Structures are given as structure tokens and as C-alpha cells.
Amino acid sequence: MTIRIPFNKPSIVGSELIYVGQAVAGGHASGDGPFTRRAEAALAESFGAKRVLLTTSCTSALEMAALLCDLKPGDEVIVPSYTFVSTANAFVLRGATPVFVDVRPDTLNIDERLIEQAITPRTRAIFPVHYGGVACEMDTIMDIANRHGLLVVEDAAQGVPARYKDRALGTIGHLGCYSFHETKNISCGEGGALVVNDPSLELRAEILREKGTNRSQYMRGEVDKYTWVDVGSSYVLSDMLAAFLLGQIESMDKITRRRGEIFDRYASILAPLVERGLIRIPEVPQHCTTSYHMFYVLTADIEERTALAAHLRAAGVLAVFHYVPLHSSPFARSLGTPQETLPQTEDLSARLLRLPMYFDLTDWEVEEVAGHVLDFYRSRSGIQA
Ligand SMILES: *Cc1c(COP(=O)(O)O)cnc(C)c1O
């Protein structure tokens, strides 16, 4: 059976292609051109961020964050195991050791009540991940970090544009990281941003991003030549991609509104299954607004998830699951990190299935997908939903 309803699809929502044309015609296709400036300013304004730097990916932004935290071999970093590999690789590249902490059963975010007991004299930083665009308990996390002198790097790859107590995700920790990958809400194919919230890190962030040179200061006329001053790499996004991104940023409200409609429609059609306790769907705490990054269902067990995914696949619908918990991965084991058991992570990661979610998904398609989920449980449980 061919896939008729994919899991994700990129979309053109506003002026993306016009801006890309202008970027090329304007003669500045490399990084830090006019569209990079506009995209960074638009993000900073919309999120109330002090400084936003566009990067080639969220992975790059996380790597810059690990460099800015000065992480070294022997240092420990507290991170959820239930996340994308880049969150951990960023600081493992610096030789630091991940200390995995279990997630909360309601939001699947790092369980803030378990963080303090994971702190040792070697702990340097906490990398919380806002899963699905629903915020971690940032007040508690920042309080712990401040009391123990730790840096906080928010992986807000999925959190554009979401809020925690009316503060944009990515702007609460010392540093924040966004993703503009094709699968994220706001996209330019591949792209990301580093949000620098601690002003003392800003100059070094510019230098790391500019291959270890002070080119940014030179361009502002602050120094009379530019030269090699630190380590660094090529983390600058092309202005052509920044142009595409600006078109999406300007359409951010429209994109979020549509994703919210899709989310609510899934939730209302599947409500009878939730009421009967057959599945769970994402929960958004009162004090958070979500980016509606994803809609998932939590099945009873892994066999049920496999059967539901196969049922949808047979109907031409692609539903996917993630993440294989990092702490149980071959690479984490080779690092010799203590083999913790993380009961919530192990349980939830085996039961989660993500349904199609993208801007161009139609109401009719949402109804079809949700209808197949209802059918699956009707035939399985004999319920009259
Ligand atoms: C997508 C994602 C990343 C990586 O983003 P890229 O822009 O592809 O590098 C990192 N962390 C999380 C939680 C993500 O969802």
C-alpha cells in the first residue's frame, strides 16, 4: 500500500520563494546578509530574546552551547534519555559525560524532581528538552541550577513558538536552541538558531560561529582587522535559507493556528478512546502554551503500538515513533555511563505513536487518520466509539 497521508510534508505558507529570489538577486547568498539580520530580529522581537544567531541546524546551536559552557572531559551534564541524539552528542563531542534523568509521565519532559539527586561535584550543566513544544518546569530547573552554579541550555527544537508562564521557550535558560529542520513547525529545510540569554556569552558566541574569528566585530567597525581569536567552526546559515526562513517566521501565527486546529480535531475525535482509558494524548499544563509540534497517542503496550502503526500503514497513513532511549543505546553503553534504569522513559518510549501533523494536512485527512485509529480500537476492544 502506498502512503497517501505522509507523516510530514514541507509547505510554502507566505513569501518564502519571493525572498529567496531577492536574496540571490541581491548578490548576498552567503551568511549574515540582509535576510539573516531580518530573520534574527524578527525572532528576537517575537520571543523577547536578547540575541538570536541563525545557525546551520539546532545540532550546530547545541554544539555552540556546549563550547560556550566550556564543557570538558570529566564534566557531567544532566539530560533526559528520551530525546534526539543531538542533545547529548553536542557535549559528548567535548568529552563531557551524559547523566540521564527520567521523564515525567504527563509531559514526557525531564522530571525536575529527579534532577537534584543526579547532581555531583562534576556536574556543570543541565540540558532540558521541551518535548513536543510543551515546556519543562523551568522555574524549578533554574532554581536548582542557580543554587548549584550550573548552566542551563534549553533544547527548544520543538518549542517554536511555545511559552512557559508567558516566557518564550529558549529564552529562560542561559542559552536556548531552535531547529528549523523540515520536520519542525517553522522551517527552511535545514537550519537552527542559538538564543543567547546571558549577555556575558554573546561575544564568544559570535566568534565560535564565525570560525573562531572576530569577523562580527570587524563588520561592526569595532576592530580594524579580523583574525583568529578562538576555536570555532562554520555555523553560519546561508542568507538564501534565512530568506526562506523569514517567509515562514512572518507566517508563524498562521502556521501555529493551523497546527492547533489539527491538534484539537484529533483530540476531539479521539476523546472517546481517552475517556475509556484506551489511549492517552498530549497534556498541556495550564501555565504552558504549546507550539502544537506533535500529536501522539500512548497505547497500552508495545504490541498494541506495532499493530496500530501497521493498521494505519495498511490504510496508507504513515505514523511514526521515536526515540530509542539514549541510555540504552549502544553508544551510551560504550561510554561506560552507569546503566541506570529509567522506568518512565522505557515504558513511554515503547508506547508512543505520532500521527501525521503538518500545515497542509486537511480537516478531511485528519478525520480519516483519526477514523482509522477509532476503527482499530473498535475492532480490538469491541467498543462502540
Ligand atoms: C530536531 C531536533 C534536534 C535537531 O535539530 P536539527 O536542526 O535537525 O539539528 C535536536 N533536538 C530535538 C529535541 C529535536 O527535536
Side-chain angles (χ1 to χ4, degrees), residues 57-59 62 83-84 86-87 129 155 157-158 179 181 184 191 323:
S57 64
C58 182
T59 302
L62 286 160
T83 183
F84 189 63
S86 292
T87 323
V129 178
D155 182 339
Q158 304 172 6
S179 174
H181 183 263
K184 301 305 196 301
Y323 304 101

Side-chain angles (χ1 to χ4, degrees), residues 6-22:
F7 172 67
N8 181 63
K9 204 152 79 177
S11 53
I12 304 290
V13 183
S15 311
E16 293 93 325
L17 298 181
I18 296 166
Y19 288 164
V20 171
Q22 288 175 2

Side-chain angles (χ1 to χ4, degrees), residues 16-346:
E16 293 93 325
L17 298 181
I18 296 166
Y19 288 164
V20 171
Q22 288 175 2
V24 177
H28 192 131
S30 62
D32 281 338
F35 284 101
T36 301
R37 294 284 162 256
R38 285 170 68 184
E40 288 177 348
L43 286 170
E45 175 171 349
S46 148
F47 296 157
K50 288 195 189 72
R51 188 71 203 274
V52 177
L53 295 167
L54 293 192
T55 59
T56 48
S57 64
C58 182
T59 302
S60 302
L62 286 160
E63 287 180 24
M64 286 178 66
L67 281 161
L68 288 167
C69 294
D70 251 326
L71 295 171
K72 296 190 172 62
D75 291 345
E76 292 177 358
V77 176
I78 292 174
V79 67
S81 167
Y82 188 65
T83 183
F84 189 63
V85 66
S86 292
T87 323
N89 249 337
F91 56 80
V92 171
L93 270 167
R94 308 262 62 81
T97 304
V99 174
F100 297 113
V101 166
D102 211 355
V103 292
R104 295 166 55 119
D106 55 351
T107 56
L108 283 67
N109 281 327
I110 190 166
D111 191 334
E112 69 282 357
R113 294 160 300 188
L114 304 176
I115 291 177
E116 205 140 19
Q117 67 200 53
I119 294 175
T120 75
R122 293 165 173 266
T123 309
R124 293 286 170 269
I126 309 172
F127 278 44
V129 178
H130 304 298
Y131 183 67
V134 176
C136 299
E137 267 317 312
M138 290 309 293
D139 280 351
T140 309
I141 292 172
M142 294 312 292
D143 175 58
I144 295 169
N146 291 335
R147 279 190 286 108
H148 293 268
L150 310 176
L151 290 164
V152 174
V153 176
E154 298 175 70
D155 182 339
Q158 304 172 6
V160 180
R163 286 183 178 258
Y164 171 77
K165 299 184 180 174
D166 215 31
R167 296 173 74 187
L169 302 193
T171 68
I172 304 166
H174 299 84
L175 295 159
C177 302
Y178 297 143
S179 174
F180 305 120
H181 183 263
E182 178 181 292
T183 51
K184 301 305 196 301
N185 294 25
I186 306 293
S187 163
C188 58
E190 299 274 357
L194 179 71
V195 190
V196 187
N197 303 315
D198 179 339
S200 72
L201 300 172
E202 194 173 326
L203 182 58
R204 187 157 191 245
E206 288 181 348
I207 291 169
L208 296 174
R209 179 169 166 276
E210 278 286 12
K211 297 96 178 167
T213 73
N214 55 356
R215 185 169 182 275
S216 296
Q217 283 177 290
Y218 172 74
M219 299 303 277
R220 285 196 295 266
E222 293 167 14
V223 293
D224 62 5
K225 58 177 179 296
Y226 91 82
T227 182
W228 187 13
V229 293
D230 201 339
V231 295
S233 191
S234 181
Y235 293 127
V236 178
L237 188 73
S238 156
D239 224 48
M240 288 192 279
L241 290 176
F244 192 99
L245 184 65
L246 180 65
Q248 294 250 311
I249 294 168
E250 288 177 351
S251 308
M252 192 149 67
D253 291 346
K254 192 165 140 191
I255 292 170
T256 310
R257 209 177 314 120
R258 178 62 194 148
R259 296 182 81 101
E261 287 166 6
I262 293 168
F263 185 102
D264 291 343
R265 191 169 292 253
Y266 272 137
S268 78
I269 299 173
L270 298 178
L273 303 180
V274 176
E275 281 154 24
R276 286 176 174 78
L278 291 166
I279 60 167
R280 268 181 48 200
I281 62 172
E283 287 175 36
V284 184
Q286 275 287 308
H287 55 282
C288 300
T289 56
T290 172
S291 62
Y292 300 109
H293 176 62
M294 64 173 90
F295 191 92
Y296 59 77
V297 299
L298 283 164
T299 62
D301 53 35
I302 191 165
E303 286 74 27
E304 187 175 293
R305 175 177 76 180
T306 307
L308 175 57
H311 177 83
L312 291 170
R313 184 80 173 72
V317 175
L318 189 60
V320 302
F321 63 84
H322 70 176
Y323 304 101
V324 177
L326 296 183
H327 74 287
S328 61
S329 67
F331 189 68
R333 286 190 186 155
S334 79
L335 291 175
T337 34
Q339 189 57 50
E340 306 102 308
T341 49
L342 303 176
Q344 296 297 344
T345 301
E346 285 155 32

